[in-house]
DNA sequence: TATGAATGAGTCTTCATTCAT
DNA sequence: CATGAATGAAGACTCATTCAT
């Protein structure tokens, strides 16, 4: 029975994901989801309060993974050097890309097809959170190395965080081979480490 | 009469813009637009063929301006040095920001509230077009300066173009003072010129 | 100017006929007619009071011809023998068929696509009128030849008149060659003269 | 519950029939039907997929009966003599008339008020099917009695079948007493048996 | 005369959601 | 637990017609 119910849950979530991706949240139809999942519309409502919650539930796996990664990242004892260290950056980028590939569909759903749902806030929330973390990190670094230049425009930091999300969006929108992704990673790291070095005034 | 008609057109466009921004294209209601514009629903249809065309018409001012800017940019006789020249880059950035500020609402509409309309393609189209231009430009530069490194991942170029759009999106989503924007511009230019210099291998 | 106006009238009528035939009266659209005729919708209303009158006007050529034929037929000095005379019947049938072929489209319009318009009464009116004439004719014949049997069910006469209309409907619905029509005429006359002879009790 | 649901179904069908008869399919309004049936518009859509299917469902009782009668008629072991035998013909006619009286409203609906719906094809389909049967029957008879004349124009056969339908249409359009119908039946049989006898060349 | 413009009423259909069973 | 049934509100869009110009 438990198994049966889990099957139904999964079936509903799967079909909901397809329908949301296909039509976008607003234009998706609960009927279609139910019909494709082989259950009645009302059954969906016994599992999920409403359309929005269904959407949220569909996105949860990624949201959880993203939160976990964020926490891990935030608690890591990184130093300013890590931002300038290509190897360290590459590692971080690869981990991110691995996760992006894993949650490809959900990410596409959240970034491009969530209009009208509460998941549509994810983009802004995520950027804001990441930005806040960077600011806190910069403060910490300034304490540690008083002579580096951390006088960086808040909005530039924000834009940089948004870039990450933008890149994620581009990755999930295109079908890239592993080689392309690796090459991209190298280029990106080259570009951004050089950029940050310049920002920090370490690039005499 | 002419004035009257133009008034009505403008009124419809204004209210449509508001409604689209407020609810998103899909959830926007023609009834609401008509009611707020003080005309009957059918009157809207004497001016615009359907909801999608109304949306398109709302966005046209920006689309035209963006196209004009693109053409101007593409026909400009830029050189590789311009990409590395902070002054030149700042000028370009400022021009872009000026336009973004001018069409703030429409840009927000296109980037974040256009799901379900044909304007939703703008983002991808724009990124693709810009990427294509950059590729062409790189080829030209490689011919001119055979010793620079232009072996940059296509997808990195794409991601870079997407960054521009992402920044534009952030600008229209936040209420930034002129100082902040100026500061951001400086930082951005510092960061990216350093990045490109590194990419081109000019940064001995 | 007169010529111009007549051109417009004709153009409107032609396109109206097409649209009515295509969609049926109820589903036909004044807009479509106007657009195809190259005039504005309101122009149609300067020529015709409303959709129904436009329909009527489209059908007039046939209605007039049919009335003329009816009058001619009614005033003709026919005798009971004519109904039993194959040559006479064939002649009548051929004349009718000629007219039917001439007004083919309008007849199809009236018989099969006039629902919702006042032309939809034509069928019944025509049958009733023809039936009335036959009744009057039978009365006259009974006076002239008291010994023939004219005790025919009113409704049979009605059904017979309806048959004529039904045949007309079949002719305009099918694409028949002249040979087929001629063969049909012969068969029809053979069949019905035999039938009437039996009815009149003359066929000993 | 079952009873309740059947009541609702029936109520919807009844009111739909009335509305379709009253306004014709195209001009009939789902709102009016729903309102008269005492249900909401959307409830109709839980029972019937769309307006056309509702129309079809309204007509089904007659369509089924007509098909049953056709099958019965086609499988009967009739002979050429039956077409010339007044008693046999009268019997057939009476059975048909009984059915017509039973489904009077639906027949009127199909024959005269179905424009725009898929039931509008019934007339032609029926005529074609009956004609095909007659042709097959004539072939069979020619095999059995090589000396009868079955060289009858296809279109005449078609017109004859259309006559049946035309008569049916006249019956449902008029309020005829049983006597009138009986008298009509006699006349019709007299007329048509004489006609067919002549056609077959048996009436020396 | 010809029409652009305007409209209120209407179209069929779908929606997410609720609830009794 | 699962659902069939029901619904009011809303969807985009079209309609025939009028009227000032």
């Amino acid at each position: 029975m438990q198994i049966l119910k889990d099957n139904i849950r999964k079936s509903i979530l799967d079909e909901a994901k397809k329908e949301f991706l296909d039509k976008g949240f607003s234009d998706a139809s609960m009927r279609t989801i139910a019909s494709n999942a082989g259950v009645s519309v009302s059954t969906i409502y016994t599992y999920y309060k409403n359309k929005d919650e269904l959407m949220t539930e569909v996105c949860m796996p990624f949201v959880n993974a993203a939160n976990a990664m964020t926490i891990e990242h935030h608690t890591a004892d990184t130093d300013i050097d890590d931002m300038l260290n290509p190897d360290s950056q590459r590692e971080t980028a690869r981990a991110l890309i691995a996760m992006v590939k894993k949650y490809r569909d959900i990410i596409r759903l959240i970034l491009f097809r969530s209009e009208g749902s509460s998941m549509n806030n994810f983009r802004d929330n995520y950027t804001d959170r990441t930005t806040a973390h960077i600011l806190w990190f910069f403060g910490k670094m300034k304490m540690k190395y008083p002579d580096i230049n951390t006088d960086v425009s808040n909005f530039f930091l924000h834009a940089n965080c948004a870039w990450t999300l933008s890149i994620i969006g581009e990755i999930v929108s295109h079908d890239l081979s592993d080689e392309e992704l690796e090459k991209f990673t190298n280029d990106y790291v080259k570009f951004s480490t050089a950029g940050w070095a310049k920002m920090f005034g370490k690039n005499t």
Side-chain angles (χ1 to χ4, degrees), chain A residues 42-113:
Chain A
S42 5
T43 300
I44 298 185
Y45 282 87
T46 61
Y47 288 92
Y48 308 99
K49 205 171 62 196
N50 52 33
K51 198 184 178 184
D52 194 73
E53 191 183 289
L54 176 56
M55 172 72 169
T56 302
E57 222 56 52
V58 166
C59 299
M60 277 315 281
F62 165 71
V63 171
N64 289 335
N67 286 343
M69 188 173 241
T70 305
I71 287 166
E72 182 188 340
H73 186 226
H74 285 199
T75 54
D77 190 20
T78 47
D79 197 290
I80 197 85
D81 290 334
D82 297 316
M83 284 189 76
L84 307 178
N85 177 351
D87 290 337
S88 163
Q89 287 296 297
R90 254 193 299 272
E91 198 179 347
T92 306
R94 283 189 195 118
L96 185 63
I97 288 176
M99 192 193 64
V100 167
K101 284 167 77 171
K102 183 168 178 192
Y103 295 105
R104 189 193 167 86
D105 282 346
I106 302 185
I107 296 173
R108 258 169 59 219
L109 180 51
I110 295 177
L111 294 186
F112 304 120
R113 322 240 58 181

Side-chain angles (χ1 to χ4, degrees), chain A residues 169-181:
Chain A
E170 294 300 317
I171 291 175
V172 298
S173 306
H174 297 84
D175 205 11
L176 301 163
S177 68
D178 287 347
E179 295 96 304
E180 282 173 305
L181 282 171

Side-chain angles (χ1 to χ4, degrees), chain A residues 7-9 16 23 37 39 43 47 69 72 97 116 144 153 185:
Chain A
N7 272 351
I8 293 181
R9 282 195 98 85
K23 312 252 191 71
V39 299
T43 300
Y47 288 92
M69 188 173 241
E72 182 188 340
I97 288 176
K144 197 166 172 188
S153 145
T185 305

Side-chain angles (χ1 to χ4, degrees), chain A residues 154-179:
Chain A
N154 275 9
F155 184 65
F156 177 74
L157 293 176
H158 192 92
N160 226 281
C161 295
W163 192 16
T164 307
L165 217 43
S166 165
I167 288 170
I168 292 174
E170 294 300 317
I171 291 175
V172 298
S173 306
H174 297 84
D175 205 11
L176 301 163
S177 68
D178 287 347
E179 295 96 304

